[in-house]
Amino acid sequence: MLALGEFHKMIIDRDTAPGLYLRDEEENEVLLPGKYAPEGFQLEDEIEVFVYLDNEERPVATTLKPYILKNGFAYLKCTSVSKIGAFVDWGIDKELFVPFSNQVTDMREGSSYLIYMYLDEKTNRLVGSSKFNTFLKNEDIDVEKFDKVNLLVSHFSEFGAHVIINEKFQGLVHKDVIFEDIRVGDCLPGYIKRVREDKKIDVLLQPEGYRSVEPNAEFIYEELKRNGGSLPVHDKSSPEDINAYFGISKKLFKKAIGALYKDRMITISDKGITLKNLEE
């Protein structure tokens, strides 16, 4: 059976009145309703679709991009409330159900909430929960200082902005290092400042300076930014070329770019050094 709440690459098997039937390598089948059929399609074409249950609890595919995937988080708007729970817009035809038992506070139509989506094993249905902290555990932490990460702002407190890191861990951006307007639900890049012994994670919204790590790294980093993100020197360049660009020895230059490379700020090739975020 195809996993619900995920994207799948599938082959167009046949064209029918209701839509296109798709198959995968294991001969699983799913219907892609006709309104989602790609223009100019041909049988045996490969397409990527998202699979979920329709209103009759049957697996169905769509080419729409949902705002949230299984085991992921997103800031979603409540569209209606019934006697059994609330429904939120997650970017596809069928709205996502959030039972009352999964709500921190009673959800209201028109308001937005941070939602976690998972597959309920008892009902085999995708459901949402605003009790997102239940699904975040700062265990087996696989991030470290200077790592660039993806952040989702979950809420604010007197200490600063609480964030979800890579959809796995909880972190905090302390209020004294917030220099831009951010709001609950914002998705933005961040940088790990520190992983504490108690497994709490401090996060920055800007890369931390390199002066305390390697004094020449900050200088080279700024020179790269001033020169469009790249320079035609690298660890195999001659001492004369390195000195002409930076006024330092080759030994100091290699130590500096080594620190930048280790912290994933640059790439090094036989053409020179380049800021990594420029390539991305």
Side-chain angles (χ1 to χ4, degrees), residues 15-39:
D15 187 5
T16 68
L20 303 178
Y21 275 90
L22 313 177
R23 72 173 192 276
D24 64 10
E25 294 180 350
E26 299 177 357
E27 299 302 318
N28 293 307
E29 275 196 347
V30 69
L31 173 68
L32 177 70
K35 62 182 177 179
Y36 300 125
E39 292 185 7

PDB file of all heavy atoms in Angstrom, residues 15-39:
ATOM      1  N   ASP A  15      -5.616   5.661 -18.852  1.00  0.00           N
ATOM      2  CA  ASP A  15      -6.496   6.830 -18.836  1.00  0.00           C
ATOM      3  C   ASP A  15      -7.942   6.347 -18.797  1.00  0.00           C
ATOM      4  O   ASP A  15      -8.381   5.580 -19.661  1.00  0.00           O
ATOM      5  CB  ASP A  15      -6.239   7.668 -20.086  1.00  0.00           C
ATOM      6  CG  ASP A  15      -6.997   8.991 -20.070  1.00  0.00           C
ATOM      7  OD1 ASP A  15      -7.641   9.291 -19.061  1.00  0.00           O
ATOM      8  OD2 ASP A  15      -6.942   9.700 -21.091  1.00  0.00           O
ATOM      9  N   THR A  16      -8.695   6.765 -17.765  1.00  0.00           N
ATOM     10  CA  THR A  16     -10.089   6.341 -17.613  1.00  0.00           C
ATOM     11  C   THR A  16     -10.975   7.566 -17.425  1.00  0.00           C
ATOM     12  O   THR A  16     -10.481   8.695 -17.290  1.00  0.00           O
ATOM     13  CB  THR A  16     -10.259   5.404 -16.406  1.00  0.00           C
ATOM     14  OG1 THR A  16     -10.037   6.157 -15.198  1.00  0.00           O
ATOM     15  CG2 THR A  16      -9.263   4.241 -16.468  1.00  0.00           C
ATOM     16  N   ALA A  17     -12.271   7.351 -17.365  1.00  0.00           N
ATOM     17  CA  ALA A  17     -13.206   8.465 -17.192  1.00  0.00           C
ATOM     18  C   ALA A  17     -12.967   9.226 -15.882  1.00  0.00           C
ATOM     19  O   ALA A  17     -12.958  10.463 -15.879  1.00  0.00           O
ATOM     20  CB  ALA A  17     -14.641   7.949 -17.263  1.00  0.00           C
ATOM     21  N   PRO A  18     -12.763   8.539 -14.756  1.00  0.00           N
ATOM     22  CA  PRO A  18     -12.523   9.294 -13.507  1.00  0.00           C
ATOM     23  C   PRO A  18     -11.180  10.017 -13.476  1.00  0.00           C
ATOM     24  O   PRO A  18     -11.012  10.991 -12.750  1.00  0.00           O
ATOM     25  CB  PRO A  18     -12.572   8.214 -12.427  1.00  0.00           C
ATOM     26  CG  PRO A  18     -13.223   7.033 -13.067  1.00  0.00           C
ATOM     27  CD  PRO A  18     -12.867   7.107 -14.504  1.00  0.00           C
ATOM     28  N   GLY A  19     -10.210   9.521 -14.236  1.00  0.00           N
ATOM     29  CA  GLY A  19      -8.884  10.133 -14.218  1.00  0.00           C
ATOM     30  C   GLY A  19      -7.810   9.143 -14.635  1.00  0.00           C
ATOM     31  O   GLY A  19      -8.093   8.121 -15.287  1.00  0.00           O
ATOM     32  N   LEU A  20      -6.592   9.430 -14.232  1.00  0.00           N
ATOM     33  CA  LEU A  20      -5.462   8.577 -14.599  1.00  0.00           C
ATOM     34  C   LEU A  20      -5.142   7.604 -13.470  1.00  0.00           C
ATOM     35  O   LEU A  20      -5.042   8.015 -12.308  1.00  0.00           O
ATOM     36  CB  LEU A  20      -4.224   9.436 -14.878  1.00  0.00           C
ATOM     37  CG  LEU A  20      -4.353  10.517 -15.946  1.00  0.00           C
ATOM     38  CD1 LEU A  20      -3.048  11.312 -16.047  1.00  0.00           C
ATOM     39  CD2 LEU A  20      -4.714   9.908 -17.290  1.00  0.00           C
ATOM     40  N   TYR A  21      -4.974   6.344 -13.823  1.00  0.00           N
ATOM     41  CA  TYR A  21      -4.516   5.384 -12.833  1.00  0.00           C
ATOM     42  C   TYR A  21      -2.992   5.307 -12.913  1.00  0.00           C
ATOM     43  O   TYR A  21      -2.420   5.149 -13.996  1.00  0.00           O
ATOM     44  CB  TYR A  21      -5.150   4.020 -13.051  1.00  0.00           C
ATOM     45  CG  TYR A  21      -6.495   3.910 -12.390  1.00  0.00           C
ATOM     46  CD1 TYR A  21      -7.657   4.259 -13.085  1.00  0.00           C
ATOM     47  CD2 TYR A  21      -6.606   3.513 -11.059  1.00  0.00           C
ATOM     48  CE1 TYR A  21      -8.902   4.195 -12.469  1.00  0.00           C
ATOM     49  CE2 TYR A  21      -7.841   3.443 -10.430  1.00  0.00           C
ATOM     50  CZ  TYR A  21      -8.984   3.795 -11.140  1.00  0.00           C
ATOM     51  OH  TYR A  21     -10.209   3.734 -10.517  1.00  0.00           O
ATOM     52  N   LEU A  22      -2.364   5.428 -11.756  1.00  0.00           N
ATOM     53  CA  LEU A  22      -0.911   5.434 -11.658  1.00  0.00           C
ATOM     54  C   LEU A  22      -0.439   4.157 -10.972  1.00  0.00           C
ATOM     55  O   LEU A  22      -1.149   3.596 -10.128  1.00  0.00           O
ATOM     56  CB  LEU A  22      -0.446   6.651 -10.850  1.00  0.00           C
ATOM     57  CG  LEU A  22      -1.067   8.008 -11.206  1.00  0.00           C
ATOM     58  CD1 LEU A  22      -0.552   9.078 -10.249  1.00  0.00           C
ATOM     59  CD2 LEU A  22      -0.785   8.387 -12.648  1.00  0.00           C
ATOM     60  N   ARG A  23       0.769   3.734 -11.293  1.00  0.00           N
ATOM     61  CA  ARG A  23       1.339   2.557 -10.634  1.00  0.00           C
ATOM     62  C   ARG A  23       2.785   2.855 -10.253  1.00  0.00           C
ATOM     63  O   ARG A  23       3.436   3.715 -10.850  1.00  0.00           O
ATOM     64  CB  ARG A  23       1.295   1.339 -11.552  1.00  0.00           C
ATOM     65  CG  ARG A  23       2.277   1.382 -12.695  1.00  0.00           C
ATOM     66  CD  ARG A  23       2.336   0.079 -13.492  1.00  0.00           C
ATOM     67  NE  ARG A  23       3.470   0.058 -14.393  1.00  0.00           N
ATOM     68  CZ  ARG A  23       3.495   0.600 -15.603  1.00  0.00           C
ATOM     69  NH1 ARG A  23       2.417   1.223 -16.080  1.00  0.00           N
ATOM     70  NH2 ARG A  23       4.602   0.536 -16.336  1.00  0.00           N
ATOM     71  N   ASP A  24       3.273   2.125  -9.261  1.00  0.00           N
ATOM     72  CA  ASP A  24       4.683   2.247  -8.891  1.00  0.00           C
ATOM     73  C   ASP A  24       5.404   0.945  -9.212  1.00  0.00           C
ATOM     74  O   ASP A  24       4.824   0.026  -9.813  1.00  0.00           O
ATOM     75  CB  ASP A  24       4.848   2.640  -7.414  1.00  0.00           C
ATOM     76  CG  ASP A  24       4.325   1.573  -6.455  1.00  0.00           C
ATOM     77  OD1 ASP A  24       4.001   0.451  -6.919  1.00  0.00           O
ATOM     78  OD2 ASP A  24       4.263   1.852  -5.243  1.00  0.00           O
ATOM     79  N   GLU A  25       6.662   0.848  -8.818  1.00  0.00           N
ATOM     80  CA  GLU A  25       7.467  -0.332  -9.140  1.00  0.00           C
ATOM     81  C   GLU A  25       6.947  -1.592  -8.467  1.00  0.00           C
ATOM     82  O   GLU A  25       7.223  -2.701  -8.919  1.00  0.00           O
ATOM     83  CB  GLU A  25       8.920  -0.088  -8.738  1.00  0.00           C
ATOM     84  CG  GLU A  25       9.606   1.004  -9.543  1.00  0.00           C
ATOM     85  CD  GLU A  25      11.043   1.223  -9.104  1.00  0.00           C
ATOM     86  OE1 GLU A  25      11.427   0.648  -8.055  1.00  0.00           O
ATOM     87  OE2 GLU A  25      11.774   1.949  -9.803  1.00  0.00           O
ATOM     88  N   GLU A  26       6.197  -1.433  -7.372  1.00  0.00           N
ATOM     89  CA  GLU A  26       5.654  -2.587  -6.672  1.00  0.00           C
ATOM     90  C   GLU A  26       4.225  -2.888  -7.096  1.00  0.00           C
ATOM     91  O   GLU A  26       3.515  -3.652  -6.437  1.00  0.00           O
ATOM     92  CB  GLU A  26       5.736  -2.352  -5.157  1.00  0.00           C
ATOM     93  CG  GLU A  26       7.164  -2.163  -4.659  1.00  0.00           C
ATOM     94  CD  GLU A  26       7.224  -1.865  -3.169  1.00  0.00           C
ATOM     95  OE1 GLU A  26       6.149  -1.761  -2.550  1.00  0.00           O
ATOM     96  OE2 GLU A  26       8.350  -1.755  -2.651  1.00  0.00           O
ATOM     97  N   GLU A  27       3.793  -2.239  -8.194  1.00  0.00           N
ATOM     98  CA  GLU A  27       2.460  -2.435  -8.760  1.00  0.00           C
ATOM     99  C   GLU A  27       1.340  -1.917  -7.854  1.00  0.00           C
ATOM    100  O   GLU A  27       0.180  -2.323  -7.978  1.00  0.00           O
ATOM    101  CB  GLU A  27       2.209  -3.913  -9.104  1.00  0.00           C
ATOM    102  CG  GLU A  27       3.174  -4.474 -10.150  1.00  0.00           C
ATOM    103  CD  GLU A  27       3.147  -3.702 -11.470  1.00  0.00           C
ATOM    104  OE1 GLU A  27       2.054  -3.341 -11.925  1.00  0.00           O
ATOM    105  OE2 GLU A  27       4.240  -3.461 -12.028  1.00  0.00           O
ATOM    106  N   ASN A  28       1.655  -1.019  -6.931  1.00  0.00           N
ATOM    107  CA  ASN A  28       0.601  -0.323  -6.203  1.00  0.00           C
ATOM    108  C   ASN A  28      -0.082   0.643  -7.151  1.00  0.00           C
ATOM    109  O   ASN A  28       0.576   1.275  -7.991  1.00  0.00           O
ATOM    110  CB  ASN A  28       1.191   0.453  -5.016  1.00  0.00           C
ATOM    111  CG  ASN A  28       1.739  -0.459  -3.952  1.00  0.00           C
ATOM    112  OD1 ASN A  28       1.048  -1.351  -3.477  1.00  0.00           O
ATOM    113  ND2 ASN A  28       2.999  -0.256  -3.580  1.00  0.00           N
ATOM    114  N   GLU A  29      -1.399   0.773  -7.024  1.00  0.00           N
ATOM    115  CA  GLU A  29      -2.161   1.659  -7.893  1.00  0.00           C
ATOM    116  C   GLU A  29      -2.849   2.756  -7.098  1.00  0.00           C
ATOM    117  O   GLU A  29      -3.212   2.571  -5.937  1.00  0.00           O
ATOM    118  CB  GLU A  29      -3.234   0.885  -8.662  1.00  0.00           C
ATOM    119  CG  GLU A  29      -2.752   0.237  -9.926  1.00  0.00           C
ATOM    120  CD  GLU A  29      -3.908  -0.167 -10.833  1.00  0.00           C
ATOM    121  OE1 GLU A  29      -5.078  -0.167 -10.364  1.00  0.00           O
ATOM    122  OE2 GLU A  29      -3.645  -0.470 -12.005  1.00  0.00           O
ATOM    123  N   VAL A  30      -3.045   3.903  -7.743  1.00  0.00           N
ATOM    124  CA  VAL A  30      -3.799   4.988  -7.133  1.00  0.00           C
ATOM    125  C   VAL A  30      -4.389   5.841  -8.248  1.00  0.00           C
ATOM    126  O   VAL A  30      -3.814   5.944  -9.340  1.00  0.00           O
ATOM    127  CB  VAL A  30      -2.903   5.840  -6.196  1.00  0.00           C
ATOM    128  CG1 VAL A  30      -1.867   6.625  -7.000  1.00  0.00           C
ATOM    129  CG2 VAL A  30      -3.746   6.783  -5.355  1.00  0.00           C
ATOM    130  N   LEU A  31      -5.544   6.440  -7.983  1.00  0.00           N
ATOM    131  CA  LEU A  31      -6.214   7.281  -8.972  1.00  0.00           C
ATOM    132  C   LEU A  31      -5.777   8.729  -8.824  1.00  0.00           C
ATOM    133  O   LEU A  31      -5.783   9.288  -7.727  1.00  0.00           O
ATOM    134  CB  LEU A  31      -7.729   7.195  -8.788  1.00  0.00           C
ATOM    135  CG  LEU A  31      -8.567   8.156  -9.662  1.00  0.00           C
ATOM    136  CD1 LEU A  31      -8.463   7.765 -11.135  1.00  0.00           C
ATOM    137  CD2 LEU A  31     -10.022   8.177  -9.190  1.00  0.00           C
ATOM    138  N   LEU A  32      -5.427   9.317  -9.947  1.00  0.00           N
ATOM    139  CA  LEU A  32      -5.199  10.757 -10.031  1.00  0.00           C
ATOM    140  C   LEU A  32      -6.411  11.343 -10.745  1.00  0.00           C
ATOM    141  O   LEU A  32      -6.575  11.139 -11.951  1.00  0.00           O
ATOM    142  CB  LEU A  32      -3.920  11.074 -10.803  1.00  0.00           C
ATOM    143  CG  LEU A  32      -3.615  12.560 -11.022  1.00  0.00           C
ATOM    144  CD1 LEU A  32      -3.238  13.235  -9.706  1.00  0.00           C
ATOM    145  CD2 LEU A  32      -2.501  12.741 -12.049  1.00  0.00           C
ATOM    146  N   PRO A  33      -7.318  12.031 -10.028  1.00  0.00           N
ATOM    147  CA  PRO A  33      -8.525  12.572 -10.678  1.00  0.00           C
ATOM    148  C   PRO A  33      -8.192  13.391 -11.915  1.00  0.00           C
ATOM    149  O   PRO A  33      -7.136  14.039 -11.984  1.00  0.00           O
ATOM    150  CB  PRO A  33      -9.142  13.440  -9.576  1.00  0.00           C
ATOM    151  CG  PRO A  33      -8.699  12.775  -8.304  1.00  0.00           C
ATOM    152  CD  PRO A  33      -7.297  12.308  -8.592  1.00  0.00           C
ATOM    153  N   GLY A  34      -9.106  13.362 -12.875  1.00  0.00           N
ATOM    154  CA  GLY A  34      -8.854  13.983 -14.161  1.00  0.00           C
ATOM    155  C   GLY A  34      -8.470  15.440 -14.100  1.00  0.00           C
ATOM    156  O   GLY A  34      -7.677  15.912 -14.923  1.00  0.00           O
ATOM    157  N   LYS A  35      -8.982  16.183 -13.118  1.00  0.00           N
ATOM    158  CA  LYS A  35      -8.674  17.616 -13.045  1.00  0.00           C
ATOM    159  C   LYS A  35      -7.199  17.880 -12.737  1.00  0.00           C
ATOM    160  O   LYS A  35      -6.713  18.995 -12.920  1.00  0.00           O
ATOM    161  CB  LYS A  35      -9.541  18.300 -11.995  1.00  0.00           C
ATOM    162  CG  LYS A  35      -9.364  17.801 -10.572  1.00  0.00           C
ATOM    163  CD  LYS A  35     -10.322  18.525  -9.635  1.00  0.00           C
ATOM    164  CE  LYS A  35     -10.228  17.999  -8.210  1.00  0.00           C
ATOM    165  NZ  LYS A  35     -11.157  18.724  -7.308  1.00  0.00           N
ATOM    166  N   TYR A  36      -6.489  16.853 -12.268  1.00  0.00           N
ATOM    167  CA  TYR A  36      -5.061  17.016 -11.969  1.00  0.00           C
ATOM    168  C   TYR A  36      -4.165  16.439 -13.064  1.00  0.00           C
ATOM    169  O   TYR A  36      -2.938  16.456 -12.930  1.00  0.00           O
ATOM    170  CB  TYR A  36      -4.712  16.347 -10.646  1.00  0.00           C
ATOM    171  CG  TYR A  36      -5.461  16.899  -9.463  1.00  0.00           C
ATOM    172  CD1 TYR A  36      -6.199  16.063  -8.625  1.00  0.00           C
ATOM    173  CD2 TYR A  36      -5.452  18.266  -9.189  1.00  0.00           C
ATOM    174  CE1 TYR A  36      -6.898  16.570  -7.545  1.00  0.00           C
ATOM    175  CE2 TYR A  36      -6.152  18.780  -8.106  1.00  0.00           C
ATOM    176  CZ  TYR A  36      -6.876  17.923  -7.293  1.00  0.00           C
ATOM    177  OH  TYR A  36      -7.570  18.436  -6.224  1.00  0.00           O
ATOM    178  N   ALA A  37      -4.765  15.905 -14.130  1.00  0.00           N
ATOM    179  CA  ALA A  37      -3.962  15.291 -15.191  1.00  0.00           C
ATOM    180  C   ALA A  37      -3.055  16.341 -15.836  1.00  0.00           C
ATOM    181  O   ALA A  37      -3.516  17.423 -16.213  1.00  0.00           O
ATOM    182  CB  ALA A  37      -4.873  14.677 -16.250  1.00  0.00           C
ATOM    183  N   PRO A  38      -1.767  16.074 -15.937  1.00  0.00           N
ATOM    184  CA  PRO A  38      -0.852  17.049 -16.547  1.00  0.00           C
ATOM    185  C   PRO A  38      -1.135  17.214 -18.040  1.00  0.00           C
ATOM    186  O   PRO A  38      -1.548  16.267 -18.714  1.00  0.00           O
ATOM    187  CB  PRO A  38       0.532  16.438 -16.302  1.00  0.00           C
ATOM    188  CG  PRO A  38       0.277  14.978 -16.112  1.00  0.00           C
ATOM    189  CD  PRO A  38      -1.070  14.859 -15.477  1.00  0.00           C
ATOM    190  N   GLU A  39      -0.915  18.426 -18.540  1.00  0.00           N
ATOM    191  CA  GLU A  39      -1.140  18.694 -19.956  1.00  0.00           C
ATOM    192  C   GLU A  39      -0.158  17.890 -20.805  1.00  0.00           C
ATOM    193  O   GLU A  39       1.016  17.766 -20.472  1.00  0.00           O
ATOM    194  CB  GLU A  39      -0.976  20.181 -20.241  1.00  0.00           C
ATOM    195  CG  GLU A  39      -2.057  21.056 -19.621  1.00  0.00           C
ATOM    196  CD  GLU A  39      -1.924  22.501 -20.040  1.00  0.00           C
ATOM    197  OE1 GLU A  39      -1.085  22.794 -20.919  1.00  0.00           O
ATOM    198  OE2 GLU A  39      -2.649  23.346 -19.473  1.00  0.00           O
TER     199      GLU A  39
END
